[in-house]
Amino acid sequence: MESSSASDEDAEVRDGLKPLQTPLVPSFDGALEGYRRKTSSSADPRPHDIRMSTGQQQQLQLSIGDRKRDPDTVDAGSSPAKKLRRTSPRHTTRAAVDLQGSSPPGPASALIRAGSVAHPSPKKKKVKRASSCYAPPSKYAHLVNKLTDSLASDLICVFVGLNPGIRTATTGHAYNHPSNLFWKLLHKSGCTPRLCRAEEDGDMPSLYDLGLTNIVSRPTKDGNELSKAEMDAGVADLEVKIATHKPEAVAIVGKAIWESLWRVRHGRNIKKEQFKYGWQDDSERMGVVETGKSPWPGAKVFVATTTSGLAAGMRPHEKEEVWEELGHWVKNKRRQRTEETGRLTDAATANTQS
């Protein structure tokens, strides 16, 4: 009898228990219905009491959905590229319960409570190449500069570069860096009938009546590692080379070289409005010999663009336009020399036969 009465009392207690209103792991439909019921029945709706958009519903469904999927990340909707960070089961359950609580969530709170949304990663800042500054000669004292001038008498044109780069100095061939456009511009402008290689620099005088030299002989990584003083100091030696070999023209390969020549000649910096690419005034001829047994009027001066791949001041087509003017002149001079040589050859042959 005692056991029977105890069982009856247990049954009454069990029957009197109030069933749980919220399951430990609520379904999406239940959580959504509670949220809608709460927001629609509020007597004094606040600005943040809004219905969830389709996207918010998808985010919430993902956060409390199938637990058999990857516990760390889940795909966001149909986009495989987007990832959501899943919260712990305890936080997921609480997020659903909060939707049915006394305080309606704000516009973004449903997503924040259901699971943290992945924010786009910040854009990586481009690392700018550090600009070079003056480097004393001791920095590259260990390098053996193998580069020599390619000069001969009575050339059509001598090209004057700034100074040898590291690769040029170690290989002994002018403009030898892959990014340098010298040989391409030389061919494209018409100064050479074909694209030559840096290894052919020593043959330029005999092949095409062209010469190569520099205003500064010591090698550096780029021109910024040279000082204006040592560039200016190289002007006198350059004038002697031109006066000795007497080319018809001198092509200055780069604005900085001409600025140095101008400083030495005029005792001041060239003004912006005074600088120009192309042929310079006749008063700016180089290597002029005024005294002695063989006076010489000097070589015409053409200022071309730099060919360094590190210089980005002009676009490729702009450089080509400047070089094209020089190339047209060189081609005409070479044709004239060929015709004159042919006439001299024919005259010499005729005199021999007679």
Side-chain angles (χ1 to χ4, degrees), residues 35 52 55-57 59-61 63-64 84-88 90-96 98-99 105-119:
Y35 176 81
M52 286 193 296
Q56 291 174 328
Q57 295 177 19
Q59 302 285 2
L60 180 60
Q61 187 175 18
S63 65
I64 60 177
L84 294 177
R85 191 72 185 172
R86 184 189 288 277
T87 57
S88 64
R90 178 175 62 84
H91 292 159
T92 303
T93 304
R94 183 174 180 178
D98 285 344
L99 291 178
S109 60
L111 293 180
I112 296 174
R113 292 175 183 175
S116 59
V117 180
H119 296 283

Side-chain angles (χ1 to χ4, degrees), residues 125-133 139-140 166 177 179 220-225 308-312:
K125 295 183 178 180
K126 292 184 178 180
V127 180
K128 293 184 179 180
R129 182 180 179 272
S131 58
S132 302
C133 57
K139 181 176 180 179
Y140 301 105
I166 304 301
H177 196 279
S179 67
T220 58
K221 183 180 67 175
D222 55 43
N224 292 328
E225 294 187 331
S308 172
L310 300 177

Side-chain angles (χ1 to χ4, degrees), residues 11-261:
E12 291 177 359
V13 172
R14 286 194 300 272
D15 293 340
L17 289 176
K18 184 177 180 179
L20 292 174
Q21 298 297 321
T22 305
L24 292 178
V25 182
S27 65
F28 170 75
D29 293 336
L32 180 60
E33 182 61 29
Y35 176 81
R36 287 177 174 171
R37 185 166 57 250
K38 182 62 180 178
T39 55
S40 61
S41 62
S42 175
D44 184 21
R46 289 172 290 179
H48 58 254
D49 291 332
I50 60 175
R51 297 181 182 274
M52 286 193 296
S53 65
T54 303
Q56 291 174 328
Q57 295 177 19
Q58 292 177 349
Q59 302 285 2
L60 180 60
Q61 187 175 18
L62 287 172
S63 65
I64 60 177
D66 187 3
R67 291 169 179 268
K68 293 182 180 180
R69 302 177 70 177
D70 185 356
D72 293 328
T73 59
V74 292
D75 292 334
S78 60
S79 176
K82 297 181 179 179
K83 295 290 183 179
L84 294 177
R85 191 72 185 172
R86 184 189 288 277
T87 57
S88 64
R90 178 175 62 84
H91 292 159
T92 303
T93 304
R94 183 174 180 178
V97 174
D98 285 344
L99 291 178
Q100 295 179 336
S102 57
S103 299
S109 60
L111 293 180
I112 296 174
R113 292 175 183 175
S116 59
V117 180
H119 296 283
S121 58
K123 294 182 179 179
K124 294 183 179 179
K125 295 183 178 180
K126 292 184 178 180
V127 180
K128 293 184 179 180
R129 182 180 179 272
S131 58
S132 302
C133 57
Y134 173 73
S138 59
K139 181 176 180 179
Y140 301 105
H142 61 285
L143 292 178
V144 177
N145 185 10
K146 299 179 182 179
L147 183 68
T148 58
D149 291 338
S150 298
L151 296 172
S153 297
D154 194 30
L155 297 173
I156 293 176
C157 184
V158 170
F159 293 87
V160 180
L162 184 58
N163 74 310
I166 304 301
R167 185 185 179 97
T168 293
T170 54
T171 60
H173 297 295
Y175 305 99
N176 200 18
H177 196 279
S179 67
N180 198 292
L181 303 175
F182 178 80
W183 299 104
K184 292 181 180 178
L185 288 171
L186 204 66
H187 167 56
K188 201 160 189 178
S189 65
C191 290
T192 57
R194 62 176 177 84
L195 179 61
C196 299
R197 296 174 291 107
E199 292 76 12
E200 297 178 273
D201 56 351
D203 298 327
M204 288 296 105
S206 59
L207 289 175
Y208 305 115
D209 288 327
L210 302 178
L212 303 171
T213 188
N214 291 304
I215 191 172
V216 178
S217 60
R218 79 175 181 98
T220 58
K221 183 180 67 175
D222 55 43
N224 292 328
E225 294 187 331
L226 296 174
S227 68
K228 291 183 178 180
E230 61 185 322
M231 291 172 60
D232 293 354
V235 172
D237 290 340
L238 182 60
E239 292 276 7
V240 172
K241 290 179 184 179
I242 302 304
T244 301
H245 297 286
K246 295 179 173 57
E248 291 195 53
V250 173
I252 306 299
V253 186
K255 180 181 178 181
I257 306 171
W258 182 240
E259 289 175 338
S260 182
L261 282 162

Side-chain angles (χ1 to χ4, degrees), residues 283-329:
S283 60
E284 299 296 341
R285 284 174 171 263
M286 293 187 64
V288 177
V289 180
E290 296 178 343
T291 60
K293 296 180 179 180
S294 303
W296 185 59
K300 298 175 59 175
V301 177
F302 185 96
V303 177
T305 67
T306 179
T307 60
S308 172
L310 300 177
M314 298 180 69
R315 296 178 180 178
H317 75 275
E318 294 174 329
K319 293 183 178 181
E320 291 173 6
E321 289 175 0
V322 175
W323 279 76
E324 185 178 355
E325 183 182 1
L326 175 63
H328 181 71
W329 180 86

